[in-house]
Amino acid sequence: MITAALDLDRVPSHVACVMDGNGRWAQSRGLPRTEGHRAGEEALFDVVDGALDIGVEWLTVYAFSTENWRRPPDEVRFLLEFNEDILLRRRDDLHERGVRIRFVGRRDRRVPKKLIQLMDDAVELTRRNRRMTFTIAFNYGGRAEIVDAVRAVVNSGISADRITERTIACRLYDPEMPEPDLMIRTSGECRTSNFLLWELAYSELYFTDTAWPDFRRVDLYEAIRVYQERERRFGQVSPNGASSAITFNGDGKRRDHPG
Ligand code: IPE
Ligand code: IPE
Ligand code: MG
């Protein structure tokens, strides 16, 4: 069984994905970039199913960044319409599976009214579901999110000396969203590209060369297997000392998995 290598008692409760590499996947096959986005849908819903099967409680995916408006107008138009289309076709199925749909991102004038309406409808339809929260980051930028939170703090009139991390965190787009335990980025790029800047502070990062359209639940499980080998220290020292997964020899070289 695919999940045999996983410890199902230590599944990350929040997994975030930067679904990257659609364009290159298509171009390497002589197809237009938009075909890569189309092919990414199967990957996305296989990952949703795979996450549901092992009890991931929060899944957040980066669908469109605040910087993606800089792409050619035809590609931007395709992405807007494709996201509308996916919402219409998939929301009932997600609802039946007990998935709560949410969105994070800026709702500025560039986002078509029709798409905003579909987002609101999907959120309303699924708001009582509790099996998993599936958050779509659309017109999302981590810096924009922090700027919007700071604006809300200033508007609240709170005095500067009373501002804490909590003051900011509770004004992010979804204050209920826990910080991701694991962030996966496909397609070989090792950067965040403005995804969840505040929330990723202590997330484990996993990068794979697999392009998003080829990513499937087995790849999710492999990322989680690697995550389960990591030791999250949150700035503290290891309670396990020398028995942690990675130790160093006397010459400073890394010695993996001591026996
Ligand atoms: C990710 O794939 C999808 C979006 C950004 C919407 P890309 O379109 O970035 O694909 P590459 O990275 O150019 O291959
Ligand atoms: C990040 O990917 C945004 C999404 C996956 C939606 P990009 O392809 O836009 O990021 P860069 O440009 O390679 O940094
Ligand atoms: Mg990309």
Side-chain angles (χ1 to χ4, degrees):
M1 191 177 145
I2 291 164
T3 55
L6 295 184
D7 177 350
L8 293 176
D9 293 328
R10 289 193 307 121
V11 168
S13 64
H14 184 183
V15 177
C17 293
V18 179
M19 309 184 285
D20 194 26
N22 297 351
R24 280 166 285 163
W25 180 91
Q27 282 168 327
S28 72
R29 285 162 175 75
L31 299 168
R33 291 178 52 85
T34 47
E35 286 307 307
H37 301 312
R38 236 188 259 287
E41 180 178 348
E42 190 178 335
L44 176 58
F45 289 95
D46 198 55
V47 165
V48 169
D49 282 346
L52 281 168
D53 282 352
I54 59 167
V56 171
E57 291 171 310
W58 294 75
L59 178 70
T60 300
V61 298
Y62 206 3
F64 193 89
S65 76
T66 47
E67 287 71 39
N68 287 149
W69 298 106
R70 297 177 184 154
R71 294 190 175 201
D74 281 354
E75 184 170 343
V76 170
R77 199 171 315 117
F78 176 89
L79 287 168
L80 294 171
E81 285 171 11
F82 190 53
N83 275 279
E84 288 177 9
D85 187 42
I86 287 183
L87 269 177
L88 258 176
R89 284 188 288 103
R90 299 279 186 167
R91 65 178 178 202
D92 292 339
D93 187 48
L94 290 169
H95 181 46
E96 275 161 29
R97 284 161 202 249
V99 174
R100 175 169 63 169
I101 302 171
R102 287 191 174 173
F103 293 88
V104 289
R106 255 196 193 155
R107 295 186 150 211
D108 59 39
R109 278 175 312 173
R110 292 175 297 185
V111 184
K113 283 205 177 70
K114 191 175 160 207
L115 179 53
I116 300 238
Q117 187 61 55
L118 283 165
M119 289 175 174
D120 287 344
D121 291 348
V123 169
E124 178 57 26
L125 173 73
T126 61
R127 73 189 170 90
R128 289 200 181 79
N129 296 339
R130 287 294 177 274
R131 192 168 164 212
M132 182 173 87
T133 303
F134 175 49
T135 304
I136 301 166
F138 194 90
N139 192 22
Y140 175 87
R143 288 183 177 175
E145 179 175 39
I146 294 170
V147 167
D148 289 349
V150 169
R151 285 181 181 160
V153 171
V154 171
N155 284 336
S156 76
I158 186 169
S159 63
D161 55 355
R162 292 190 48 229
I163 294 175
T164 63
E165 289 187 9
R166 184 81 211 121
T167 317
I168 308 273
C170 71
R171 289 171 174 84
L172 296 175
Y173 292 135
D174 183 354
E176 284 183 23
M177 178 202 278
E179 292 172 13
D181 300 294
L182 170 64
M183 190 277 271
I184 298 169
R185 182 167 183 154
T186 56
S187 215
E189 310 300 354
C190 301
R191 52 179 174 256
T192 60
S193 300
N194 206 9
F195 190 41
L196 303 175
L197 293 186
W198 179 281
E199 298 88 336
L200 290 177
Y202 269 99
S203 308
E204 294 298 324
L205 309 181
Y206 175 87
F207 300 101
T208 172
D209 287 338
T210 303
W212 180 256
D214 289 332
F215 198 84
R216 292 289 180 276
R217 71 173 69 199
V218 286
D219 304 292
L220 170 72
Y221 295 161
E222 172 58 13
I224 293 175
R225 188 191 65 72
V226 170
Y227 163 87
Q228 290 184 337
E229 283 184 347
R230 305 240 184 115
E231 184 189 38
R232 303 183 73 186
R233 288 194 287 278
F234 299 98
Q236 302 171 40
V237 287
S238 170
N240 307 320
S243 69
S244 70
I246 294 161
T247 56
F248 294 89
N249 294 321
D251 61 2
K253 294 220 172 75
R254 211 170 122 155
R255 179 159 60 96
D256 291 349
H257 312 294

